[in-house]
Amino acid sequence: IHNVFLSPEIINSSKITNRSAWYSLGTLTSFFLTGIKEFSIENLKPFHGTKLYWAILRCIHTNPKDRSLLII
């Protein structure tokens, strides 16, 4: 697994929660949609306004407390 798919708290050896998996889910989903490993909001422009776009954004917050999973 590349570090780009790991949450910041996993990389920094901080407290790991279920929200760490949400971060990975967001980055992996972005990769599957765009084919680009490094996450960038610019890469998701074709999906802007869709539920999937907003779900990814909610999953990839740097602070785990700000992450939430949007049920589609």
Side-chain angles (χ1 to χ4, degrees), residues 16 18-19 23 27 31 34 39 51-52 56 58 60:
I16 299 170
N18 62 337
R19 293 176 185 226
Y23 184 91
T27 56
F31 169 67
T34 64
F39 177 80
K51 289 182 180 182
L52 186 57
I56 292 170
R58 291 171 66 120
I60 59 155

Side-chain angles (χ1 to χ4, degrees), residues 1-12 23-24 27 37-39:
I1 292 181
H2 296 278
N3 284 347
V4 296
F5 302 125
L6 299 176
S7 66
E9 59 270 20
I10 291 174
I11 294 171
N12 297 328
Y23 184 91
S24 296
T27 56
K37 288 182 185 174
E38 297 292 331
F39 177 80

